[in-house]
Each structure stands twice: as C-alpha cells, then as structure tokens.
Amino acid sequence: MWIKNLLIGLLVLIGITLAGALIMLGIANSGVEARELTDSDMMLDWMARLDDDTPLNEVYIPGTHDSGALHSFLGVSGKCQSYTVGEQLKMGVRFFDIRLQLRGSELAVVHSFVDQRLTFDEVLDEIKVFLTQNPSEFIIISIKEDADAQEPELPFEKAVEDALSEHLGSLLSTDKNVPSSVGEARGKTHIVSRYGGASIGIPASAGWADSTSFELGELFVQDYYAIDTVEAKMHDINSAFSVAEKKNHALVLNFTSCYLANGFPPAHAPTTAKLINPLLCEILSNGEAAPCVFVTDFVTPELIHQIINENFR
C-alpha cells in the first residue's frame, strides 16, 4: 500500500511541477504585451488618403490572425494578440480573422478549445461604431467555425448571417466578389466566408487548404502555419509578395502567423511572432514587401504604421 501511495504522490508532484513549468513558460513567452496607446498610435482614417480608383490588390492592409484571441490555456496555447479588436481598429487594422463557436443561439469567439471571453455581437458592435465614425475606411472579416457547436438552436451559417445583418445593417456588404476598388469598398464590412453554407461574402470554405499556399477563386492565400524554421516561414511570406507583385489576384492574404511544429509547446504563437515581426519591419523599411493583407500575430502599432506607410512611400 505504501508503494502505491508513494507512486501517487510522485505523480501528483510531477503534475504540479509540470503545470508550474508551463505557467512560467507562458509568462516568459506571452508575446508582445500591450502598452498604453497614445494619440500617435491612432490611425483612424488612413484610408481617406487612398484614391477611390485604387484596386484592392494595390493596397498594403494591416490584418490580424485570430483577432480576438487575447487569452490562452496556461500561457501555452490560444493567445495570438495583445490588443482588443477595438484597439486594433483604432491602430489601423482593417482585416480581422474571427473564429467562432455556436453555443445555443449565441456566437462566442474562440481559438480552438480556448474560450476568448468575447462574443461575436461585441465584435460587430465595435466595427459598427468605428465605421459609422470613420466612413472613409472599409473592413474585411474572415469568419470561420473553429469549434463544434454546443446545443445549437439554429444552423451556424444562419446565426452568423443574422448577427451580421442585425448589427451592421447598411454597413454590411453581402457581395460575393472582392470589391474592385477602394471607392467601392469604403464604408462597408466585407466578408470572407470560411464557413459552410454561406449565402453571403467571398466564398472561402470549400477549397481552403491546410498549412500551405493556394489559389481560391479571386484570392491567393499563403497560410503555412506549422513550420520547421522561421527562415522557412520568411521564404513563404516572400513568395507571397512575389505573387502579389504580379497582380493576378483580387486579394492576397499573406499569413505571417505560425508556430514551430517541432518546438515545445508546438502550438505556441508568441515564440515565432517575436522573431518574425521584427523581420517584417525590416522588410517593410527596405521597401521589399508587396501590396497584400498582412495577417499577423501579436500586432503592434509600430508594425501597423510601417504597413500603412508603404501605401504612401
């Protein structure tokens, strides 16, 4: 009996030690922490400086991956941003990657199994207020069902489209094509529909490939997210710049977000973001990037400003 109790005690001790190590790892690698924003960080109406006839594939657009993911599991998995959706809007982000789970009739923002303590309604209300106050801007939202529904009271696609219509009203574009120009896009929220059964938005559910680059209708997407090295990911990002330069697609989504598949923990975005974001800033400052949507983890005001400034170089 004493041997059994000893083994149980050892297992408990190992579990506590491992949990402590994971928590400390999370503290040490929690990404770029949010700082208090200043007036100089705000880029509320930067699109007002763009000509109406500018095609969207000639615009450098700051975006965020898992835009609502500010919370993690033990600091290890789940967190991808340090600033709220509202703060990202004010800083100049115009592309949002929103992952959802249907719970009854409510849509919750999640990152896989990690609840983000945010509802889709709250995200849409932030966007409505922002676009109402800044009609020169346009927003693109990619919407994906990221976790199985819990006791759903209606289909996921109906819940999403009812919420979009109810909260955004005339600020919602239901068009299934990428807007042809900035002027056509202004003042609206445009949807990239990464969910099945979508009746509105740019269709992007069937054919979205896993951890690779691919063409999907009018879109070109670079989304290698399980990587072996940061150098390999930077090659993927630069390859998407080469595609964007040819302007054969209405919009290029260049995901700079990723994690080291051979690292510990593997699904840990902060580790790679701390390395990749400074490299992005260097590429931008050297004028070596091409117009696209930059879909980033742990975006900062400094990175956003550099992306936006490329439009006016």
Side-chain angles (χ1 to χ4, degrees), residues 257-279:
S257 52
C258 60
Y259 63 83
L260 289 167
N262 56 359
F264 179 81
H268 197 242
T271 302
T272 47
K274 286 180 177 179
L275 299 171
I276 287 173
N277 286 357
L279 293 174

Side-chain angles (χ1 to χ4, degrees), residues 26-34 75 79-80 82 268-271 273-274 298:
I27 292 171
N29 294 280
S30 57
V32 177
E33 292 304 315
K79 183 175 180 177
C80 292
S82 297
H268 197 242
T271 302
K274 286 180 177 179
F298 294 100

Side-chain angles (χ1 to χ4, degrees), residues 5-131:
N5 291 337
L6 177 62
L7 289 173
I8 291 173
L10 285 172
L11 289 172
V12 170
L13 180 61
I14 291 170
I16 292 172
T17 303
L18 180 59
L22 288 174
I23 290 171
M24 291 307 298
L25 178 66
I27 292 171
N29 294 280
S30 57
V32 177
E33 292 304 315
R35 60 171 174 77
E36 186 174 351
L37 298 175
T38 66
D39 289 345
S40 63
D41 294 322
M42 302 304 176
M43 301 288 277
L44 300 177
D45 60 352
W46 66 267
M47 288 181 165
R49 297 168 60 193
L50 298 172
D51 292 337
D52 276 349
D53 59 359
T54 305
L56 260 63
N57 63 6
E58 294 183 6
V59 183
Y60 294 78
I61 301 175
T64 49
H65 162 252
D66 263 296
S67 306
L70 274 72
H71 301 281
S72 67
F73 172 72
L74 293 178
V76 174
S77 179
K79 183 175 180 177
C80 292
Q81 303 299 331
S82 297
Y83 293 95
T84 67
V85 168
E87 289 170 330
Q88 292 173 38
L89 278 166
K90 293 174 184 176
M91 290 190 296
V93 172
R94 297 294 177 262
F95 176 95
F96 295 88
D97 172 29
I98 302 295
R99 314 292 179 96
L100 300 172
Q101 179 185 38
L102 180 60
R103 301 171 181 172
S105 60
E106 182 179 78
L107 290 161
V109 176
V110 298
H111 183 187
S112 185
F113 65 91
V114 183
D115 179 39
Q116 295 303 323
R117 310 171 204 173
L118 179 68
T119 68
F120 191 41
D121 289 351
E122 291 171 322
V123 171
L124 295 178
D125 285 342
E126 288 274 13
I127 289 171
K128 179 180 180 179
V129 170
F130 181 82
L131 274 183

